[in-house]
Each structure stands twice: as structure tokens, then as C-alpha cells.
Amino acid sequence: MEIELEKIEAYFNEGRRIWEIQPELVVSRKFFENWEGTHRPRPFVIHDSGIRMAEQELVLADDTHSVGRVLWDFPEECATLAVEGHASRQTFLLTFADGEAQIIEGALELFKDNELSYGERLEVVHDVLAYLRLHQPTTDLLNLTKSSFLAALDGVSEHYPGSTIRLMHRLRLDSIRRMVGKATEDMAIDELSNQLTLPLDGSYAVSSAQTPSEELEDFTRPGPSTLRLTQQTRWAILTDLEFIAAATHAVADMEEAFVLDLTAAEIIEQTSPTEFTVKIPVPTTVPVLEGDRLQVHIRGDDGAAATLRIDLYDRSVMYGRLRWPDAVAASPGTTGMFARRRGSPNRFLAGLFNAFVVDFAANRNSSGEAVDAMLAVVPTTFENLTIPAEPSELDPDQRQAWINACHERNRVVAIQGPPGTGKTFVIEYVIREMSARNHRVLLTAPSNTAIDNICRRIVDLPLLRVGRDAERIAEDIAAACWINNPDAVQAFARKRKESSAVIYAGTHVAILRDNVLAADLEKNGLFDVIIFDEAGMARMDEFLVCARRAKRVVLFGDHQQLPPFPLPNEVIETLKEYGPATNPQWATLKQSALEWLIVQRQFPVTILRLSHRCQNPRLMRFSSTLFYNAQVRACDQADYYRLDYEARRRKYPPSTLRFYRTSSLRPDLRRERLIIEGARPGLENRLEAQLCLYALSELMKRFPLREISIIVPYRRQVKLIQSSLKSEASGLRAGRVDISEDEWRWFLGNRVATVDSFQGGESDAVITCYVRSGPETGIGFVDDPNRINVAHTRTRREMVIIGDLEHLKSNARSRVFHRMERAIERDGEIIDVTEEMLAGCPAL
């Protein structure tokens, strides 16, 4: 700390010295940047409740272990000391008055807000509205009085802490009515009052009944509007980039040095003379995913002795299969045995990112305007244009996203596509527009599946799918446009004769490694645009090295769904040794590229708010309120809004959202089990699998088999359900001549899956179960809110949830299951499973 404080004193001393000659220079950014370049200030730890500088005592809001950092405050046009503690961020303006140092205490920002979030307030309002509809059905909800609101609030108070009810009591009437308007936005107009209501344009949606002026206010944005984003000094940006580079190298170093000690591994079962199932305790997070294959070594011996496949990794323990080359070599109890990862692209990425940092430090203008805009090298503008009338196939939000993405003065565009809102549809339209303009386009995403899904939509364009491993590319895409397929390359060449456009599509690593793409870059310069899909899963290091290959960057994704793989604890500890870092610096590592741009850089984001997937609004409210502040709702043309009141009640009753709660059953019936079958360990819950079959048999009475899906957290539960369905096929298909053997096999292979593998999928009806119910307190990753969001937004019309709700509520790290329970009690129904009910379920 003392060294950094000396640098600040040097800033004041140099200012005093120059003031008599050039006072205007002393208060300029140029003076500050000269000081930065000379003294290179870095974040520093403050151990006390105050510090002394320029003969002034600065009292800090947090007592100990705050982190200070000196930055240039562009709005205030002066140097600033920002101090971050555990609960607050405090700023001090470092200025000069008549040549003398002057320190002015600035804003104090509290990190922990004791008040409710907007989404939590909306949940209370939803409960109030449900109470009024039940107890006072004649109340006009759109013109609710405060007395009616408060009376209903007291009626639901038993479900909330007293502090929550007191805060809601303090709301003004105008705030109440705005929140009621938001909470009722996805309801049908004839559900809000007892007056006769006629559908407009065939829809009972609230928005369809608005006056034109109200509709204009709700569904357009002011335009054209220009937002100017502030910049940062190059040194501040460089220190942030160096921090990312340190993390990237630490990940690569850790992978190369990573050793999974197998000394404490427990042999659970020997499944063959050469294969053993093992349980391995894991004290900290390790860089291993389920499905990974590790090489097993014995200390003192050269080469790999065996392989270890990780089948289940559940925070503190992993299970896998240890396989030896032959029975003679098999010796699982050998001391000194350990496993290591095979090669990964992280060292390659670390090298590329390091080159980027070196270029930036040398002030080479090779990053492109888009990267400069994202990093705040220069002041950046974003133009939010008026929504056009075309393309008419797109809804208003989609057209806003399309025009913003295609507007060439917008160097960076962020588009958030919550589940079912047509993100991929918009990407296709953007790519087609770019191709029509003869642009050179890069399309990239973290996963091969995402890339292949978009490629299927644009195979008629001049497209090349890059990637070295044919096994990772979908067979139809490899045949149509893979860069290593001579027939596909010839077809690409024919298309190029009619257009100068080109589209290269691949994962982040694929587009960075491809030689043809590199040659195009070398010959023709930066690409016109790079489009990121699944940007909510993109790490900052690979995102930035990809982004610097194009003039413009367009990000599509949703940071409320599955995030990037988190940094292992060992990497975090290594970075702490690198030096103190501020919360915004840690955010570059812990947040995805999309979330960082929106939350940290405060880039404007265009949100797709209309779900074209969901036909039953009661299914959307839980996720929309919890994750999107109720901004996402079913579109006006959803089936729910096309039905009159009575028809709607018959087709979409509360039972279309139901939770089968197993908590009241005996533990031996409801509990999960660790199963090892075929040497592969995994978690399964036979009761919940049985209930999945029961729910399936009920749903098959109302939906085609192809429109039903079963998604669960664990692969072992998938296997159990699949095998159970095979044995119960004749009973479930009894009397169903419309279900062929081929269709049944397709259902088993495509509609019974894990949550992670089903991201992006959808069907009319979805069954999900949470599996976890046991004597231990852990529930693994099933309480991850992002994963819950994915699971609960795959369905169009009906959803069935199965689980030990009390166990989930008691052992989750957040209140997500408490909030889920309230949402389902309000909009659906919770059924307590009894042993009598189980008697009517298919047996496993």
C-alpha cells in the first residue's frame, strides 16, 4: 500500500510544481496519463479503516481489507481514488485548488441492498392479484385502489417476512399501478375485470386491447437515439487485460500441471478383468467435466498406464471408470497413481491473448474499432434506430435487434434472447442481410451444436464450416459445407461466382486455428462483422481474440442461461498471488462476455421480450419474473389468447403447471441412489423415474409423442428412464396405432435427455425431475438458477415437475426453490404424492 500511496503523492507533488507554469495542464487528462505512464499505478490493499494522503485523513466506510485503485473519472474530469470494501464502493476526487491538492469525498455505493429486487416485488404483486381474483373476483385489477391492494397484501402476508410486507406497504399508488400493469401484461384482458371484453384481432392479450398511444409507448423505443459511452485510459485498460492474461496462463499452467491424486480413490466395483469403477474425493474445484478422459500414470514409470473416464462429478466427489490395457497390467491399488488431462486448446488461447496484450501495450492499432469500443479505448456511440416495418416476419423486438445489428455505425451490438424468443431466427436474418451486402462474415459460438443449428438455416449462402474434427460436426453439415469436404468446397466456389460475400462458421478455437480463414484475413484485412451466438457462455479471453478479427461485433445470447465453465479454485488462488484486484477486474473472469458488456461496461442491450414458444403464459411467469424482471411474456398470438374465457379454462387449467411433491413419502421410497452399471456410476431416483412414466402416460392422452420431452439433471437418470420406457413400451403404447416402433425409438433417443444437452430444445409438454433426495445435505448443481431457467423454459403448453421439494428448499444455496413453490402454488398446483397414488403408477 505504501508504494501506491507514494505514487499518488508524486501525482500531487508534480501538479504543485507545474501549476505555476501550466495550471490548465495539471487538471487535464493528459497530465494524469503522463503520470500513469511513468508510475504505473495498480490496485492496492488497504488494511485499516482510513488512509492519509496529501495531509488529509480519509475515513473509509469499510473497516479492513479494502482495495483501492486510482482511475481517471471521465464525467468528473479528474483523477479518482475508488475504494472497494466488502459492502461498499467509495470514491474520492483527487483535484487541485489554487495549486494545492484537494481531496473531495464522492459517492458511496452500497453493494448489499436490503430492499427487495424488482422481480421479488413483482412476485408479491402476483400473489396479491391471485388473492383478489380468488376472494374479490369483481375487482377491476387495472384500476386497483391502494386500500384494495393493502387489504390483499395483508391476506398474503403469511408467506413473506415482515420486512417484505412493510416495504410493500410503503409503495405509492402510482408505483403499485405500474407494477400491477407489468404483472398483468401476460394475462388475458377478460381476466382483469368483470366487464364484457371482445378480442381485438382475435386476441384477448392485454396489449391487443391497448389504445394506439399506449401501444406506441410500450412497444417502440425513442428513435433515432444515440447513447455515448465513456472511455478509460489505456493504462487502466492494459492492467485489466494483463489480469485476464494472467488468468488465461494460470488456467493453461494448471491444466498442464494438473494432477488428480488417485491415492484416496476407492474401488467400488470391478466390472471386468481390466475395468474398475472408482470413487474419488475432490477437495476443491478441478478442471474436469463429466465425460472427460484422463491419462493415468504411476510415479516413476514413463508413459500412461491406464485411462480414467469421469462419469459423474458432483462438487465434492467424482465417479469414473479406470481402464487398463490388459489384465496383466491391471493394478488399481498401486501406490503413487495419478491422472492428468490430455491436451487442450488453453495454451494456444493463452498465447494468442498474450500477443494481443503485447500489441495493446505497444499502442499498435491492430485491435479494430469494435474491440476499442468494447474496451473503452475511445468514446463510443450506439444508435438505437426507429423500428422499421420490415421484415414483417419479425416481431417488434426482433426487428429492433435486426436493424441495430445491421446498422454499420454500431460497432458493438448486444442482443439478449431469452428462451423461445427467436434468437436463432434473428441471427439468420442478420446473416442474410450481411450476405446481401456482400460482407465477409464470421459466425462463432462455444459449441459445435449451436454452429450447426445456424448453418442448417443458411446452407444456400456462400458458407464454409471450419473445424478439424469431423466427428464434432453434424453429418449433414459436414456433407453440405465443411471446409475439408472437397464437394462442399466446390459448391462454395460456385456460389462465390455470384456473390463476393463469404461466411466462415466455427467454434472460437476453430476460427482461430483455421489456415484458410487466416489467409483471408491476411489478404483482405478485418472481416466486416463477427457474430457470436451463445455469447452468454463465452469467456472473455477467447471472445476478445476472436473479436479483433472483425470491424464490427454482434453478440447474441442470454447470460441467464448456462454460463461459462467457472474458474477452478486453484486459479483464483494463483491470481490472488498476482496482486489485489477490484470487483470489475474479477468480473472479466467470472462473467461471460455478454454479461460483462451489459453489466460492467453498461452497453445497451436489445432484449427479445416475446416468447413465440410459450403458448401458456402461466408456464412463463416463474422464469420471467425470477430472471428477467417480468420483461418476457408469451406473444399476443399465443394459443392462450385466442381462446375465450371458458375455452381457456378448459384447455389451460392450473393443472397444466403441476409439481408432484414426494416429500411426505418414506425416505426409503423417495431417496436417490448411487448406481454402478456397466462400470459407469451415476445418481438415479427410481421413484421419480416411476412418476415420470406416470406423467408421460397422462400427457400421451393429450399430446403426440413427438411433442413430449423428459429432461433431468443427471445422465444416469436419463438411462434409467430410457430403460424403463423400453420395458413399459407395450403398456404405454397400448391402443396407440399411431406410434410406430421407429417413432418410439426416436422419442427415447431425442426426447429423454439431460438439461444441458436439451438447451435450445422445445416441445409442447415437458416433464422434469430433480433426482436429489437423500440423508446428506448436498444437492449438487441442481440448484443452479441458470440451469433451472433452462429446464423450465423448454415447454409450450404444459409442464410437470417432480421432486422432493422440502429437501430441495432446505439444501439449496439460495431461495430459488422457495420462490418456485410460491409461483406454482399461485399459477399451478402442487400434488403431494402418496403411496396409494404410487399403486397406480407403472412399476419399474
Side-chain angles (χ1 to χ4, degrees), residues 79-103:
T80 301
L81 171 64
V83 181
E84 292 179 354
H86 294 294
S88 66
R89 184 178 188 271
Q90 198 171 2
T91 59
F92 299 89
L93 307 182
L94 311 182
T95 64
F96 290 88
D98 296 327
E100 290 301 320
Q102 184 179 41
I103 302 176

PDB file of all heavy atoms in Angstrom, residues 79-103:
ATOM      1  N   ALA A  79      -8.860  12.971 -11.534  1.00  0.00           N
ATOM      2  CA  ALA A  79      -8.430  11.682 -11.001  1.00  0.00           C
ATOM      3  C   ALA A  79      -9.341  11.278  -9.843  1.00  0.00           C
ATOM      4  O   ALA A  79      -9.877  12.126  -9.120  1.00  0.00           O
ATOM      5  CB  ALA A  79      -6.983  11.766 -10.529  1.00  0.00           C
ATOM      6  N   THR A  80      -9.497   9.987  -9.672  1.00  0.00           N
ATOM      7  CA  THR A  80     -10.391   9.463  -8.632  1.00  0.00           C
ATOM      8  C   THR A  80      -9.741   8.275  -7.949  1.00  0.00           C
ATOM      9  O   THR A  80      -9.184   7.403  -8.619  1.00  0.00           O
ATOM     10  CB  THR A  80     -11.738   9.025  -9.230  1.00  0.00           C
ATOM     11  OG1 THR A  80     -12.354  10.124  -9.869  1.00  0.00           O
ATOM     12  CG2 THR A  80     -12.665   8.514  -8.138  1.00  0.00           C
ATOM     13  N   LEU A  81      -9.826   8.235  -6.641  1.00  0.00           N
ATOM     14  CA  LEU A  81      -9.454   7.045  -5.881  1.00  0.00           C
ATOM     15  C   LEU A  81     -10.733   6.293  -5.564  1.00  0.00           C
ATOM     16  O   LEU A  81     -11.606   6.813  -4.851  1.00  0.00           O
ATOM     17  CB  LEU A  81      -8.725   7.428  -4.591  1.00  0.00           C
ATOM     18  CG  LEU A  81      -8.479   6.276  -3.600  1.00  0.00           C
ATOM     19  CD1 LEU A  81      -7.556   5.224  -4.205  1.00  0.00           C
ATOM     20  CD2 LEU A  81      -7.937   6.793  -2.276  1.00  0.00           C
ATOM     21  N   ALA A  82     -10.869   5.099  -6.104  1.00  0.00           N
ATOM     22  CA  ALA A  82     -12.026   4.250  -5.828  1.00  0.00           C
ATOM     23  C   ALA A  82     -11.613   3.198  -4.816  1.00  0.00           C
ATOM     24  O   ALA A  82     -10.594   2.514  -5.000  1.00  0.00           O
ATOM     25  CB  ALA A  82     -12.524   3.586  -7.110  1.00  0.00           C
ATOM     26  N   VAL A  83     -12.373   3.063  -3.736  1.00  0.00           N
ATOM     27  CA  VAL A  83     -12.064   2.114  -2.673  1.00  0.00           C
ATOM     28  C   VAL A  83     -13.227   1.140  -2.534  1.00  0.00           C
ATOM     29  O   VAL A  83     -14.353   1.548  -2.235  1.00  0.00           O
ATOM     30  CB  VAL A  83     -11.812   2.825  -1.327  1.00  0.00           C
ATOM     31  CG1 VAL A  83     -11.480   1.806  -0.241  1.00  0.00           C
ATOM     32  CG2 VAL A  83     -10.683   3.842  -1.471  1.00  0.00           C
ATOM     33  N   GLU A  84     -12.945  -0.131  -2.760  1.00  0.00           N
ATOM     34  CA  GLU A  84     -13.975  -1.171  -2.660  1.00  0.00           C
ATOM     35  C   GLU A  84     -13.754  -1.995  -1.405  1.00  0.00           C
ATOM     36  O   GLU A  84     -12.668  -2.523  -1.175  1.00  0.00           O
ATOM     37  CB  GLU A  84     -13.916  -2.108  -3.876  1.00  0.00           C
ATOM     38  CG  GLU A  84     -14.330  -1.449  -5.175  1.00  0.00           C
ATOM     39  CD  GLU A  84     -14.230  -2.415  -6.335  1.00  0.00           C
ATOM     40  OE1 GLU A  84     -13.728  -3.544  -6.130  1.00  0.00           O
ATOM     41  OE2 GLU A  84     -14.645  -2.048  -7.446  1.00  0.00           O
ATOM     42  N   GLY A  85     -14.810  -2.098  -0.597  1.00  0.00           N
ATOM     43  CA  GLY A  85     -14.785  -2.970   0.557  1.00  0.00           C
ATOM     44  C   GLY A  85     -15.705  -4.150   0.353  1.00  0.00           C
ATOM     45  O   GLY A  85     -16.117  -4.445  -0.769  1.00  0.00           O
ATOM     46  N   HIS A  86     -16.039  -4.833   1.426  1.00  0.00           N
ATOM     47  CA  HIS A  86     -16.936  -5.982   1.320  1.00  0.00           C
ATOM     48  C   HIS A  86     -18.364  -5.557   1.000  1.00  0.00           C
ATOM     49  O   HIS A  86     -19.096  -6.278   0.333  1.00  0.00           O
ATOM     50  CB  HIS A  86     -16.923  -6.784   2.625  1.00  0.00           C
ATOM     51  CG  HIS A  86     -15.597  -7.427   2.917  1.00  0.00           C
ATOM     52  ND1 HIS A  86     -15.072  -8.426   2.121  1.00  0.00           N
ATOM     53  CD2 HIS A  86     -14.691  -7.198   3.902  1.00  0.00           C
ATOM     54  CE1 HIS A  86     -13.905  -8.795   2.614  1.00  0.00           C
ATOM     55  NE2 HIS A  86     -13.649  -8.075   3.690  1.00  0.00           N
ATOM     56  N   ALA A  87     -18.745  -4.370   1.469  1.00  0.00           N
ATOM     57  CA  ALA A  87     -20.151  -3.978   1.339  1.00  0.00           C
ATOM     58  C   ALA A  87     -20.364  -2.687   0.576  1.00  0.00           C
ATOM     59  O   ALA A  87     -21.503  -2.304   0.335  1.00  0.00           O
ATOM     60  CB  ALA A  87     -20.782  -3.834   2.726  1.00  0.00           C
ATOM     61  N   SER A  88     -19.290  -2.000   0.179  1.00  0.00           N
ATOM     62  CA  SER A  88     -19.496  -0.698  -0.454  1.00  0.00           C
ATOM     63  C   SER A  88     -18.346  -0.340  -1.380  1.00  0.00           C
ATOM     64  O   SER A  88     -17.261  -0.923  -1.317  1.00  0.00           O
ATOM     65  CB  SER A  88     -19.649   0.392   0.610  1.00  0.00           C
ATOM     66  OG  SER A  88     -18.427   0.548   1.323  1.00  0.00           O
ATOM     67  N   ARG A  89     -18.613   0.664  -2.212  1.00  0.00           N
ATOM     68  CA  ARG A  89     -17.600   1.266  -3.088  1.00  0.00           C
ATOM     69  C   ARG A  89     -17.638   2.763  -2.842  1.00  0.00           C
ATOM     70  O   ARG A  89     -18.674   3.400  -2.981  1.00  0.00           O
ATOM     71  CB  ARG A  89     -17.875   0.961  -4.553  1.00  0.00           C
ATOM     72  CG  ARG A  89     -16.799   1.481  -5.506  1.00  0.00           C
ATOM     73  CD  ARG A  89     -17.129   1.078  -6.945  1.00  0.00           C
ATOM     74  NE  ARG A  89     -16.045   1.397  -7.855  1.00  0.00           N
ATOM     75  CZ  ARG A  89     -15.910   2.567  -8.486  1.00  0.00           C
ATOM     76  NH1 ARG A  89     -16.796   3.531  -8.285  1.00  0.00           N
ATOM     77  NH2 ARG A  89     -14.903   2.767  -9.304  1.00  0.00           N
ATOM     78  N   GLN A  90     -16.490   3.302  -2.463  1.00  0.00           N
ATOM     79  CA  GLN A  90     -16.390   4.695  -2.060  1.00  0.00           C
ATOM     80  C   GLN A  90     -15.443   5.414  -3.018  1.00  0.00           C
ATOM     81  O   GLN A  90     -14.422   4.852  -3.437  1.00  0.00           O
ATOM     82  CB  GLN A  90     -15.844   4.752  -0.632  1.00  0.00           C
ATOM     83  CG  GLN A  90     -16.052   6.031   0.111  1.00  0.00           C
ATOM     84  CD  GLN A  90     -15.667   5.853   1.574  1.00  0.00           C
ATOM     85  OE1 GLN A  90     -15.211   4.785   1.991  1.00  0.00           O
ATOM     86  NE2 GLN A  90     -15.848   6.896   2.378  1.00  0.00           N
ATOM     87  N   THR A  91     -15.751   6.641  -3.407  1.00  0.00           N
ATOM     88  CA  THR A  91     -14.874   7.376  -4.315  1.00  0.00           C
ATOM     89  C   THR A  91     -14.416   8.676  -3.665  1.00  0.00           C
ATOM     90  O   THR A  91     -15.154   9.318  -2.908  1.00  0.00           O
ATOM     91  CB  THR A  91     -15.577   7.687  -5.643  1.00  0.00           C
ATOM     92  OG1 THR A  91     -16.759   8.464  -5.381  1.00  0.00           O
ATOM     93  CG2 THR A  91     -15.952   6.418  -6.377  1.00  0.00           C
ATOM     94  N   PHE A  92     -13.168   9.058  -3.999  1.00  0.00           N
ATOM     95  CA  PHE A  92     -12.589  10.324  -3.569  1.00  0.00           C
ATOM     96  C   PHE A  92     -12.019  11.012  -4.796  1.00  0.00           C
ATOM     97  O   PHE A  92     -11.216  10.410  -5.538  1.00  0.00           O
ATOM     98  CB  PHE A  92     -11.485  10.113  -2.531  1.00  0.00           C
ATOM     99  CG  PHE A  92     -11.950   9.446  -1.267  1.00  0.00           C
ATOM    100  CD1 PHE A  92     -11.938   8.057  -1.153  1.00  0.00           C
ATOM    101  CD2 PHE A  92     -12.414  10.195  -0.206  1.00  0.00           C
ATOM    102  CE1 PHE A  92     -12.367   7.431  -0.004  1.00  0.00           C
ATOM    103  CE2 PHE A  92     -12.847   9.578   0.967  1.00  0.00           C
ATOM    104  CZ  PHE A  92     -12.833   8.199   1.064  1.00  0.00           C
ATOM    105  N   LEU A  93     -12.446  12.236  -5.057  1.00  0.00           N
ATOM    106  CA  LEU A  93     -11.966  13.001  -6.200  1.00  0.00           C
ATOM    107  C   LEU A  93     -10.634  13.635  -5.838  1.00  0.00           C
ATOM    108  O   LEU A  93     -10.527  14.354  -4.832  1.00  0.00           O
ATOM    109  CB  LEU A  93     -12.977  14.073  -6.599  1.00  0.00           C
ATOM    110  CG  LEU A  93     -14.415  13.586  -6.849  1.00  0.00           C
ATOM    111  CD1 LEU A  93     -15.296  14.746  -7.286  1.00  0.00           C
ATOM    112  CD2 LEU A  93     -14.430  12.478  -7.894  1.00  0.00           C
ATOM    113  N   LEU A  94      -9.613  13.391  -6.644  1.00  0.00           N
ATOM    114  CA  LEU A  94      -8.271  13.921  -6.404  1.00  0.00           C
ATOM    115  C   LEU A  94      -8.076  15.124  -7.313  1.00  0.00           C
ATOM    116  O   LEU A  94      -7.832  14.983  -8.519  1.00  0.00           O
ATOM    117  CB  LEU A  94      -7.218  12.849  -6.687  1.00  0.00           C
ATOM    118  CG  LEU A  94      -7.462  11.472  -6.039  1.00  0.00           C
ATOM    119  CD1 LEU A  94      -6.316  10.516  -6.366  1.00  0.00           C
ATOM    120  CD2 LEU A  94      -7.640  11.606  -4.530  1.00  0.00           C
ATOM    121  N   THR A  95      -8.209  16.317  -6.771  1.00  0.00           N
ATOM    122  CA  THR A  95      -8.207  17.536  -7.578  1.00  0.00           C
ATOM    123  C   THR A  95      -7.168  18.537  -7.060  1.00  0.00           C
ATOM    124  O   THR A  95      -6.440  18.263  -6.091  1.00  0.00           O
ATOM    125  CB  THR A  95      -9.599  18.193  -7.553  1.00  0.00           C
ATOM    126  OG1 THR A  95      -9.899  18.606  -6.221  1.00  0.00           O
ATOM    127  CG2 THR A  95     -10.679  17.204  -8.010  1.00  0.00           C
ATOM    128  N   PHE A  96      -7.138  19.681  -7.724  1.00  0.00           N
ATOM    129  CA  PHE A  96      -6.260  20.775  -7.300  1.00  0.00           C
ATOM    130  C   PHE A  96      -7.082  22.048  -7.157  1.00  0.00           C
ATOM    131  O   PHE A  96      -7.992  22.314  -7.966  1.00  0.00           O
ATOM    132  CB  PHE A  96      -5.154  21.012  -8.333  1.00  0.00           C
ATOM    133  CG  PHE A  96      -4.138  19.905  -8.394  1.00  0.00           C
ATOM    134  CD1 PHE A  96      -4.345  18.809  -9.223  1.00  0.00           C
ATOM    135  CD2 PHE A  96      -2.981  19.957  -7.629  1.00  0.00           C
ATOM    136  CE1 PHE A  96      -3.420  17.791  -9.289  1.00  0.00           C
ATOM    137  CE2 PHE A  96      -2.048  18.934  -7.687  1.00  0.00           C
ATOM    138  CZ  PHE A  96      -2.262  17.841  -8.513  1.00  0.00           C
ATOM    139  N   ALA A  97      -6.775  22.837  -6.145  1.00  0.00           N
ATOM    140  CA  ALA A  97      -7.406  24.143  -5.945  1.00  0.00           C
ATOM    141  C   ALA A  97      -6.299  25.157  -5.674  1.00  0.00           C
ATOM    142  O   ALA A  97      -5.587  25.043  -4.669  1.00  0.00           O
ATOM    143  CB  ALA A  97      -8.397  24.107  -4.788  1.00  0.00           C
ATOM    144  N   ASP A  98      -6.127  26.088  -6.598  1.00  0.00           N
ATOM    145  CA  ASP A  98      -5.056  27.090  -6.489  1.00  0.00           C
ATOM    146  C   ASP A  98      -3.696  26.438  -6.300  1.00  0.00           C
ATOM    147  O   ASP A  98      -2.865  26.905  -5.515  1.00  0.00           O
ATOM    148  CB  ASP A  98      -5.339  28.057  -5.332  1.00  0.00           C
ATOM    149  CG  ASP A  98      -6.603  28.872  -5.557  1.00  0.00           C
ATOM    150  OD1 ASP A  98      -6.892  29.173  -6.745  1.00  0.00           O
ATOM    151  OD2 ASP A  98      -7.292  29.188  -4.575  1.00  0.00           O
ATOM    152  N   GLY A  99      -3.486  25.346  -7.015  1.00  0.00           N
ATOM    153  CA  GLY A  99      -2.185  24.691  -6.990  1.00  0.00           C
ATOM    154  C   GLY A  99      -1.969  23.730  -5.857  1.00  0.00           C
ATOM    155  O   GLY A  99      -0.923  23.069  -5.799  1.00  0.00           O
ATOM    156  N   GLU A 100      -2.921  23.618  -4.933  1.00  0.00           N
ATOM    157  CA  GLU A 100      -2.779  22.707  -3.812  1.00  0.00           C
ATOM    158  C   GLU A 100      -3.703  21.498  -3.969  1.00  0.00           C
ATOM    159  O   GLU A 100      -4.781  21.605  -4.546  1.00  0.00           O
ATOM    160  CB  GLU A 100      -3.102  23.422  -2.495  1.00  0.00           C
ATOM    161  CG  GLU A 100      -2.073  24.451  -2.084  1.00  0.00           C
ATOM    162  CD  GLU A 100      -0.688  23.848  -1.917  1.00  0.00           C
ATOM    163  OE1 GLU A 100      -0.592  22.711  -1.372  1.00  0.00           O
ATOM    164  OE2 GLU A 100       0.294  24.485  -2.325  1.00  0.00           O
ATOM    165  N   ALA A 101      -3.234  20.368  -3.454  1.00  0.00           N
ATOM    166  CA  ALA A 101      -4.025  19.144  -3.542  1.00  0.00           C
ATOM    167  C   ALA A 101      -5.321  19.295  -2.762  1.00  0.00           C
ATOM    168  O   ALA A 101      -5.336  19.833  -1.654  1.00  0.00           O
ATOM    169  CB  ALA A 101      -3.220  17.965  -2.997  1.00  0.00           C
ATOM    170  N   GLN A 102      -6.386  18.828  -3.371  1.00  0.00           N
ATOM    171  CA  GLN A 102      -7.690  18.858  -2.720  1.00  0.00           C
ATOM    172  C   GLN A 102      -8.377  17.515  -2.947  1.00  0.00           C
ATOM    173  O   GLN A 102      -8.499  17.065  -4.083  1.00  0.00           O
ATOM    174  CB  GLN A 102      -8.546  19.987  -3.287  1.00  0.00           C
ATOM    175  CG  GLN A 102      -9.886  20.135  -2.576  1.00  0.00           C
ATOM    176  CD  GLN A 102     -10.697  21.292  -3.143  1.00  0.00           C
ATOM    177  OE1 GLN A 102     -10.728  21.496  -4.350  1.00  0.00           O
ATOM    178  NE2 GLN A 102     -11.341  22.054  -2.266  1.00  0.00           N
ATOM    179  N   ILE A 103      -8.804  16.885  -1.879  1.00  0.00           N
ATOM    180  CA  ILE A 103      -9.477  15.584  -1.964  1.00  0.00           C
ATOM    181  C   ILE A 103     -10.922  15.775  -1.521  1.00  0.00           C
ATOM    182  O   ILE A 103     -11.180  16.229  -0.401  1.00  0.00           O
ATOM    183  CB  ILE A 103      -8.776  14.529  -1.094  1.00  0.00           C
ATOM    184  CG1 ILE A 103      -7.310  14.384  -1.537  1.00  0.00           C
ATOM    185  CG2 ILE A 103      -9.501  13.179  -1.201  1.00  0.00           C
ATOM    186  CD1 ILE A 103      -6.500  13.431  -0.678  1.00  0.00           C
TER     187      ILE A 103
END
